Amino acid sequence: MRRIAVAKGDGIGPEIMDAVLKIFYEAKVPLEYVTVDIGKWVFDKGFNTGMTPEARQTIETLGILFKGPMETPKGKGVKSINVTARKTWNTYANTRTFQTLHGVDTVFSKAGIPIDITVVRENIEDTYGGIEHMITNDVAISRRIITRPGSMQVIKYAFEMARKKKARRITCAHKANIMKITDGLFLEVFQEVAKDYPDLKADDVIVDDLCMKLVTKPDTFDVIVLTNLQGDIVSDLCAGLIGGLGFAPSANIGDHICIFEAVHGTAPDIAGKNIANPTALLLSGIGMLRHLGLMESATMIENALLYTLEQGVHTGDFGNKSISAVNTTQFAEAITSNFGKQPGQGAKPHLKDAPVTETMFKLNENVMLESANAPAENIIGVDFFIESDEQPVFIANKCLRHGGVKFKLINISNRGTQVWPTGSVYTNLVNQYNVRFESIDDMPLKQQDILGLYVSLSGDFKICSSELLLMLGDKRAYSLAQGQ
């Protein structure tokens, strides 16, 4: 019997987890549950990751975590417990499936427009790295990290999943028209991977255009893959299309550890009242069963859920208000009483249990993700981010004294907009500039050259941070300022 780790969560978490596990028990699902200590209450005991060392060891041993909603304490400088878990165990692909559920009325279901969208969200990188700094009293920065290997992991997973799903279309959503380096890299990897899947229709769309089309023609989309922050926003938008987060399952897939969870909130206002809707967590658990190869149990439970919804059984947060709502326990009992019944619409086909290849193994060191056949790399300049409340021309006059025989001052920008050598007096400024130096005649530079310029320039300015300007092969690996 397969053992998995279970974390019941905060707020309504214990109630809905108990309801789901009761359904699994009645379905005779061959799983053994090992409860682990994760959540706000664990953080409040002094564990700054929100989990005990014993919980971490158990999860890393078992490889599967089934978790209820977790609350991250506000303030105190603590990171999100949910994000910490996903990132710690490199669950790089967050997968959420959004399907029309008969009995859950929405604008689209009433119009007869079926929805079946799977959002695959990169789960480790982007602004969710949480790398932020105040570099002056007025200016905060956040590093947005997009990597080629990280993008490759999630995009390959998305294509494989789309093929297994027999998807008619896979779409990369992005903002590469503006973020040409970061989103541009993500889109570039998508296009590379697409060449290996000629049987799938692969296309891309700018993310704001995607959002508009999702609320006008959602049935035209199938599988969508996005970067982390954009994926977070779009997945919640898609949840709204089918009735809300209470019907949105979530899986976090990694090579060694996977997390299946409800992504809605902890609803502390109704905690302990036994009235919460367990559907999202149940759907997440059904996805976990399929991941573990327990197809027969997954199909029986899902068809019973779909049948129950069709019959109008509902908790207080949805459904026909002329029919009395049931509580959490009664909702679970209604599902178990409908085992073996088929819904009139959307019934899931019965499949035999599938063998699952175990991916768990003991790691002795961290895995290094690195692309093969990287192009030649040359340093051709540097961006210095400096603090100053002076006008651009005065900053330029000072910078020009420091270039020496190796560097030329190229431009000065403020919040990404060029203000020297050309610019407009109508551009509002903050007290943090970027001054860009490049090598004379594009000659390659050494880090020692950059450090020498740093020391010289620091005599006139506080240097908040710096970035090397690289050429990767014949490709410029940095962006231009607006107006440059």
Side-chain angles (χ1 to χ4, degrees):
M1 185 174 289
R2 176 69 184 264
R3 302 169 75 226
I4 67 167
V6 171
K8 294 190 175 183
D10 301 309
I12 60 171
E15 299 161 63
I16 61 174
M17 182 62 78
D18 286 345
V20 170
L21 295 184
K22 174 67 171 172
I23 293 170
F24 284 6
Y25 174 79
E26 295 294 337
K28 297 181 172 55
V29 175
L31 291 176
E32 180 182 341
Y33 311 108
V34 181
T35 302
V36 292
D37 295 334
I38 307 179
K40 178 181 179 296
W41 62 276
V42 179
F43 175 85
D44 289 341
K45 287 186 174 182
F47 296 93
N48 61 6
T49 60
M51 71 179 79
T52 63
E54 293 78 13
R56 174 179 293 206
Q57 182 176 356
T58 297
I59 294 163
E60 291 179 355
T61 299
L62 300 180
I64 297 288
L65 171 62
F66 187 33
K67 65 182 282 292
M70 302 282 180
E71 178 183 349
T72 296
K74 294 179 175 63
K76 303 182 181 180
V78 66
K79 297 281 190 178
S80 163
I81 296 167
N82 302 303
V83 175
T84 296
R86 297 169 196 160
K87 289 169 65 65
T88 297
W89 295 310
N90 203 58
T91 59
Y92 51 79
N94 175 258
T95 304
R96 301 186 192 180
T97 300
F98 306 94
Q99 293 181 310
T100 298
L101 297 171
H102 300 283
V104 182
D105 287 338
T106 68
V107 171
F108 298 101
S109 66
K110 291 177 180 178
I113 299 173
I115 295 174
D116 184 0
I117 299 170
T118 302
V119 173
V120 182
R121 162 192 170 196
E122 196 286 318
N123 221 15
I124 306 299
E125 304 179 343
D126 200 357
T127 53
Y128 281 56
I131 306 169
E132 300 181 310
H133 298 87
M134 294 293 300
I135 58 175
T136 79
N137 182 63
D138 293 341
V139 179
I141 64 168
S142 173
R143 284 183 175 262
R144 183 172 194 256
I145 297 175
I146 304 293
T147 71
R148 188 179 302 277
S151 300
M152 186 68 71
Q153 278 187 322
V154 68
I155 290 170
K156 277 193 171 181
Y157 170 82
F159 271 91
E160 283 295 319
M161 184 273 298
R163 177 177 277 173
K164 290 177 183 176
K165 183 186 175 184
K166 295 182 170 54
R168 64 187 186 278
R169 178 185 184 189
I170 179 169
T171 303
C172 176
H174 60 86
K175 197 66 178 170
N177 58 324
I178 302 299
M179 293 177 285
K180 299 181 185 295
I181 302 294
T182 49
D183 269 35
L185 176 59
F186 192 80
L187 176 58
E188 178 184 317
V189 172
F190 177 85
Q191 292 167 339
E192 289 175 3
V193 174
K195 295 175 184 176
D196 296 329
Y197 296 83
D199 52 312
L200 290 173
K201 178 185 176 183
D203 55 22
D204 69 277
V205 61
I206 296 172
V207 68
D208 39 324
D209 186 30
L210 168 69
C211 291
M212 181 187 70
K213 289 175 177 173
L214 280 171
V215 298
T216 55
K217 296 183 288 186
D219 53 321
T220 62
F221 291 95
D222 196 341
V223 175
I224 307 170
V225 60
L226 311 94
T227 55
N228 203 334
L229 176 58
Q230 295 169 12
D232 194 3
I233 296 167
V234 167
S235 59
D236 275 22
L237 185 156
C238 289
L241 302 178
I242 60 158
L245 287 173
F247 305 97
S250 178
N252 302 283
I253 305 298
D255 290 335
H256 312 298
I257 297 171
C258 297
I259 305 169
F260 298 84
E261 61 182 340
V263 294
H264 56 65
T266 58
D269 56 321
I270 62 170
K273 297 181 180 180
N274 195 35
I275 60 175
N277 178 4
T279 303
L281 185 61
L282 178 58
L283 287 168
S284 300
I286 291 168
M288 177 183 68
L289 298 184
R290 289 199 170 96
H291 177 81
L292 294 171
L294 301 174
M295 304 300 186
E296 294 181 11
S297 296
T299 301
M300 181 179 72
I301 294 170
E302 186 166 9
N303 281 334
L305 167 64
L306 296 177
Y307 181 87
T308 302
L309 293 172
E310 277 189 350
Q311 298 307 302
V313 180
H314 65 93
T315 50
D317 58 314
F318 76 100
N320 187 341
K321 299 304 179 184
S322 67
I323 301 174
S324 297
V326 299
N327 63 30
T328 309
T329 302
Q330 291 167 334
F331 189 76
E333 290 172 346
I335 293 170
T336 59
S337 69
N338 289 324
F339 284 163
K341 297 178 181 178
Q342 297 287 310
Q345 300 182 66
K348 303 302 176 182
H350 287 273
L351 302 173
K352 292 184 177 180
D353 286 353
V356 176
T357 302
E358 296 290 345
T359 58
M360 292 181 299
F361 53 87
K362 184 68 176 177
L363 294 176
N364 295 316
E365 59 182 18
N366 296 90
V367 176
M368 176 61 68
L369 302 177
E370 191 170 16
S371 297
N373 304 317
E377 177 181 302
N378 286 307
I379 302 170
I380 63 163
V382 61
D383 280 344
F384 288 119
F385 298 86
I386 65 166
E387 180 177 351
S388 178
D389 58 7
E390 296 178 298
Q391 289 293 303
V393 66
F394 295 108
I395 294 172
N397 289 336
K398 291 181 180 179
C399 289
L400 288 168
R401 298 199 299 261
H402 297 283
V405 297
K406 291 190 175 182
F407 294 94
K408 56 187 176 185
L409 179 65
I410 297 298
N411 79 316
I412 300 173
S413 60
N414 194 290
R415 290 190 291 179
T417 301
Q418 180 171 281
V419 293
W420 184 94
T422 61
S424 171
V425 71
Y426 291 98
T427 301
N428 288 349
L429 307 176
V430 296
N431 64 351
Q432 186 264 309
Y433 289 87
N434 173 26
V435 295
R436 173 166 291 176
F437 290 89
E438 292 183 6
S439 63
I440 294 173
D441 297 327
D442 295 326
M443 293 297 293
L445 298 166
K446 297 180 180 180
Q447 287 196 82
Q448 292 92 324
D449 300 321
I450 303 298
L451 291 174
L453 179 58
Y454 185 108
V455 171
S456 178
L457 194 65
S458 66
D460 280 328
F461 302 104
K462 178 186 121 180
I463 300 177
C464 304
S465 64
S466 64
E467 292 289 348
L468 299 176
L469 304 182
L470 301 179
M471 289 292 294
L472 299 178
D474 58 358
K475 181 179 178 181
R476 187 184 67 243
Y478 55 92
S479 63
L480 301 180
Q482 297 288 341
Q484 184 178 355

